[in-house]
Amino acid sequence: MFIQTETTPNPEVLKFLPGREVLGEGAREFRTPEDGDASPLAKALFELGDVTRVFFGPDFLTVTKGEDAQWPHLKAPILAAIMDHFTSGRPLLLDAVEAGGHDDGDYDEDASQIVAEIKELLDTRIRPAVAQDGGDIVFSRFEPKTGVVWLHMRGACSGCPSSSATLKSGVENMLKHYVPEVTRVEQTL
């Protein structure tokens, strides 16, 4: 098994491509070692000690390291954990939590149409581009009175120095262009 690695715009995150399906559809983020208990692979990665976040995408995973950790020391144990997992035949997830990501809110008919347009743009134009950098952006909520869209950034995007520029320059401009009711985009934590 050959696992490729790619850098991401976030220097604390590395993208790993095992050459096979990881999650298939959707994405799943593990922010703490306790979250990682839901996945044998995430748990093994957190047990390395310097891993602070794990993210599974359709055919990749990203690993966030602690500030004091160095990639040259951490990369080989991560590769070994990934290889061990995929050759073991163990399941990726132990629970059946929804992996898609978009939050579903309760909106009136007009706002529901706007939210559907926002989600469509996210799924067809924005999320595929962000996934190339090892991240994901999902819909959190829309405020119809103010036109503010709240999005949650995951994977390499979470904590990335360029994430605010991505949100404001790229995502906000695109959403405002195609969905005139959108006035601003903000990030949820």
Side-chain angles (χ1 to χ4, degrees):
M1 177 176 189
F2 179 71
I3 303 169
Q4 293 180 305
T5 60
E6 293 179 1
T7 58
T8 70
N10 186 343
E12 305 298 321
V13 180
L14 224 100
K15 181 178 178 181
F16 295 85
L17 298 132
R20 59 178 63 184
E21 184 176 277
V22 175
L23 200 55
E25 282 190 29
R28 181 85 182 261
E29 184 172 45
F30 304 91
R31 295 173 166 232
T32 66
E34 293 76 27
D35 290 348
D37 289 343
S39 165
L41 177 54
K43 183 175 182 170
L45 293 168
F46 278 115
E47 287 174 351
L48 296 175
D50 289 319
V51 171
T52 61
R53 190 173 288 192
V54 176
F55 177 80
F56 296 153
D59 61 352
F60 69 90
L61 60 138
T62 63
V63 176
T64 305
K65 69 174 185 63
E67 288 182 22
D68 297 332
Q70 301 297 316
W71 283 121
H73 302 296
L74 193 54
K75 188 173 170 182
I78 291 172
L79 288 167
I82 295 169
M83 186 171 298
D84 179 57
H85 176 79
F86 282 109
T87 58
S88 74
R90 289 181 300 219
L92 185 65
L93 301 173
L94 300 175
D95 61 16
V97 172
E98 177 70 30
H102 291 308
D103 285 343
D104 294 322
D106 190 23
Y107 299 98
D108 66 29
E109 189 175 332
D110 290 338
S112 289
Q113 179 60 35
I114 294 166
V115 167
E117 290 175 32
I118 292 167
K119 289 179 180 179
E120 176 71 16
L121 278 169
L122 286 170
D123 289 342
T124 59
R125 296 204 174 192
I126 297 167
R127 291 177 81 189
V130 173
Q132 291 178 347
D133 285 336
D136 194 17
I137 298 178
V138 292
F139 175 83
S140 183
R141 69 183 185 276
F142 174 65
E143 297 172 357
K145 289 182 179 175
T146 61
V148 177
V149 175
W150 292 85
L151 302 175
H152 179 68
M153 300 182 83
R154 306 188 301 183
C157 292
S158 183
C160 177
S162 62
S163 65
S164 59
T166 299
L167 261 185
K168 293 296 178 185
S169 299
V171 177
E172 182 176 273
N173 288 342
M174 181 178 285
L175 289 179
K176 285 167 72 174
H177 177 77
Y178 288 103
V179 186
E181 294 85 356
V182 173
T183 60
R184 193 171 83 234
V185 173
E186 296 293 335
Q187 180 176 349
T188 59
L189 300 176

